[in-house]
Amino acid sequence: MSRSFPPDFLWGVAASAFQTEGAVHADGRGQSVWDVYSHTPGRTTNGDTADIACDHYHRYPEDIALMRGLGVKAYRLSTAWPRIFPTGSGQVNQRGLDFYDRVIDLALHEGIEPWICLHHWDMPVAVEDNGGWRNRDTAKIFADYSAVVARHFGDRIKRFAPINEPNVIPWVAYNVGRHAPGKQDYPSSLQAIHTLNLAHGYSVSSVRAEAPTAEVGNIVSLGPVRPHYDDAAHEEARILGDCLWRRVTVDPLWLGTYPEPIADAMQPFIQPGDMAAISQKMDFFGLNHYNPVFVGPNKNTTFGVSETAPPTGMGPLTDVNWVVDPAAFLEQIRDTSARYGKPTIYITENGASYPDALGPDRKVIDNDRITYFNGYLNALLDALDEGHDIRGYFAWSLMDNFEWGRGYSKRFGLVYVDYPTLQRIPKQSYHWLSNVIAANAL
């Protein structure tokens, strides 16, 4: 890259507990909704489960060494709710806290700042059995869990975020039913939207009460929403899709209101004081971005709208059929900055999946991923030149991992994981990004 990032720009990598840790029965961990979902026939590619995943639970020293070698100064991880509260609430599982103590302390020792996301989709089964996000009481249970984590780690963690990509949960888990718990129900989808927002607000309060010097922000996956076809029905779907994907779990947090055209439908779920609890001032906006989202009408989904494949002729595409479009990244940064009052932004996820192959020389040459990162980092530099307050960038992800319904069939990592042996092999993109970080380091 020929241009430079600010000298204090924060470079990091992101990962999540369920996708990497494995050890699902170790040390008192409870069962999550994704354990059940992935063990249900037909739900994941090849019937893959995260029972072992990357075995980060046992191999975290090796993984932190890879972070150190990459040159990043931050690691965005998630704490597994069922590892700390096996049934979602009640008795704390000290062995779960002990595991994250080991990870956090080693990361800090290596000069890497851990960021904690309190929930990356692995809700305890016992909470789901009591209604999960369809039950507003879940927001209070989540706040109690947040308080325990913030109290225990608040002496070492500078930045917390309550929920990873809360917009994905109503859209994918309750609208099209493609993520755990795999529901398709309109009232449940609406209630889930509000409960997630309420859980965020209550969690922010809990974290600030227990770790008053820490910063708290949101993490949401956003990209411009575009119609698959240029006609009236698809434009109507785009308007609703934009509301459901980009607005319903962001506007309430930052603006204190639900957006049109769904605002009226949300009113029955709102109780006195809810919007004030939801819309507390935050310290940063965590923006995950991968691609523009194409939508169309779909009568088989809860909201009557769903994501589509990109229109014919668009490209290039990643291995998960997402359009590579750095201009859409810049467009999304502009939208976020303008709509939410120029917040401090961290890019908390960005990356791409490609069909990586381990060569006979045990190397992985992933030039497509290098091209992807180069394009998106240059768009980020354009955004910085425009004056947007962007403080850091977290690549998704450090290593290949369990990619939800796609199982192990898709690879996003900078590090190749040879799943039969669990050997970690840095890809060419790892070395390329390491050079970029070194060239922009203090």
Side-chain angles (χ1 to χ4, degrees), residues 46-63:
N46 301 319
D48 291 341
T49 74
D51 291 1
I52 298 173
C54 307
D55 197 28
H56 180 67
Y57 193 82
H58 298 108
R59 296 170 180 257
Y60 69 89
E62 181 180 358
D63 298 334

Side-chain angles (χ1 to χ4, degrees), residues 75-98:
Y75 170 34
R76 201 205 107 199
L77 68 146
S78 72
T79 47
W81 188 354
R83 208 176 278 289
I84 294 171
F85 283 104
T87 60
S89 60
Q91 182 65 39
V92 174
N93 177 28
Q94 184 61 44
R95 289 175 293 177
L97 293 174
D98 292 344

Side-chain angles (χ1 to χ4, degrees), residues 121 164-168 219-223 245-246 250 285-291 293 332 349:
W121 304 352
N164 177 74
E165 300 181 345
N167 57 323
V168 172
I219 295 177
V220 64
S221 180
L222 301 178
W245 183 252
R246 293 207 295 178
V250 187
F285 192 112
L287 173 61
N288 295 355
H289 176 85
Y290 292 94
N291 59 297
V293 177
Q332 181 57 60
E349 286 184 27

